[in-house]
Amino acid sequence: MKKLLGAMMCFVLTGTALAQENPLQQKLAQIGLTQVKLSPTPIKGLQVASTERGIFYVSEDGEYLIDGKMYQLTSQGAVNLTNQVLMQKLNAFAKEMIVFPAKNEKYVVNVFLDTSCYYCHLMFAQTEKYNELGITVRYLAFPARSGIHSESAQQMEAIWTAENPNYALQQAENEKIYPSQLKQPKVVKAQYLLGEQFGVRGTPAIVTASGELLNGYIKPDALLHMLEMEQREKNSH
């Protein structure tokens, strides 16, 4: 309920509600949920509301709102439908991520990273090792320690929007050389909000291809083992 209460508080503080064409969107705007994308769910009369504050489920009559994950029970096991929606949003950021691809790719992970985070430094230093094990790493910005309005967030914006983002991130992580020109967070803000929707509270935070969130630094061999276990579990259903 925290993200819902946050949305309501944001609405109370700003006193604004954006006009929406859809009556259901208008009702959600009344509690501070704006910029809502609605789509159907397998349950008749229930729609998924994808918002900047996370994924919600709302009845088509606008009377009920559900904050939580939805699973579909199939012969292959429980399928996390909420994660599927979030992964669609995450993959839409593909061109804005800083990607270090594996030559013999077996797995892809998405890592929310803060350039001022010690354990993020540890993880980034192992990027080549992850790649050698067949793990492609896609980095997203998440200024967890100082927030989106900090100088750190502006530095990260300059890195993620640099002419050569991979080199800029390597400079920042390996040699502590940051861009001299700071930029107002736009790309970083969008990625930060996405991380919040996944439930990221600290960094590094790893999101697997299935949408599962793994918190903290995980050594290359251990991460490979976890990804293999996830794949075996998926194949066994």
Side-chain angles (χ1 to χ4, degrees):
M1 286 297 294
K2 289 183 179 178
K3 62 186 178 183
L4 179 55
L5 292 174
M8 295 177 70
M9 182 60 71
C10 177
F11 174 74
V12 172
L13 291 173
T14 60
T16 62
L18 299 180
Q20 306 283 350
E21 293 181 1
N22 188 304
L24 192 53
Q25 290 173 319
Q26 290 180 348
K27 193 153 189 178
L28 292 175
Q30 293 174 7
I31 58 169
L33 294 175
T34 58
Q35 301 183 33
V36 177
K37 178 182 178 182
L38 296 169
S39 55
T41 73
I43 301 176
K44 186 178 180 180
L46 190 68
Q47 293 200 40
V48 57
S50 178
T51 80
E52 288 189 352
R53 296 185 177 274
I55 303 299
F56 298 90
Y57 296 93
V58 59
S59 60
E60 291 181 349
D61 60 9
E63 295 296 320
Y64 299 95
L65 184 71
I66 301 171
D67 177 7
K69 293 189 175 183
M70 178 186 291
Y71 293 84
Q72 181 180 10
L73 302 180
T74 72
S75 58
Q76 287 77 41
V79 178
N80 190 325
L81 299 182
T82 305
N83 278 5
Q84 289 183 354
V85 175
L86 286 172
M87 286 304 296
Q88 290 175 4
K89 298 185 72 170
L90 184 147
N91 287 324
F93 283 84
K95 293 182 179 180
E96 297 171 347
M97 298 177 186
I98 299 180
V99 182
F100 291 85
K103 290 184 179 179
N104 299 308
E105 183 180 285
K106 299 177 183 177
Y107 305 100
V108 176
V109 296
N110 309 277
V111 180
F112 287 94
L113 174 144
D114 185 338
T115 53
S116 66
C117 160
Y118 172 73
Y119 288 100
C120 293
H121 293 321
L122 291 182
M123 182 162 190
F124 186 83
Q126 296 292 316
T127 299
E128 287 188 11
K129 180 62 176 177
Y130 292 115
N131 290 166
E132 290 172 2
L133 295 174
I135 304 172
T136 288
V137 185
R138 307 196 300 183
Y139 288 107
L140 298 102
F142 193 89
R145 301 182 70 219
S146 51
I148 197 65
H149 300 295
S150 64
E151 181 176 311
S152 177
Q154 294 177 42
Q155 288 177 337
M156 294 172 74
E157 181 76 18
I159 292 170
W160 259 258
T161 59
E163 185 175 346
N164 187 336
N166 291 61
Y167 178 73
L169 183 57
Q170 288 172 326
Q171 287 285 95
E173 289 290 336
N174 298 334
E175 302 179 38
K176 307 301 182 288
I177 299 176
Y178 300 93
S180 58
Q181 182 180 0
L182 304 181
K183 296 183 179 180
Q184 289 302 311
K186 293 181 181 179
V187 171
V188 170
K189 181 179 179 180
Q191 295 184 3
Y192 181 85
L193 292 173
L194 176 67
E196 285 192 323
Q197 292 176 35
F198 270 98
V200 175
R201 296 293 177 265
T203 53
I206 304 168
V207 178
T208 69
S210 65
E212 294 301 317
L213 179 65
L214 308 175
N215 290 302
Y217 165 53
I218 302 174
K219 293 182 179 180
D221 289 335
L223 180 59
L224 177 63
H225 177 70
M226 296 173 74
L227 295 173
E228 290 173 338
M229 290 283 289
E230 183 181 62
Q231 186 63 46
R232 280 199 293 269
E233 182 178 350
K234 179 180 178 181
N235 293 338
S236 66
H237 291 305

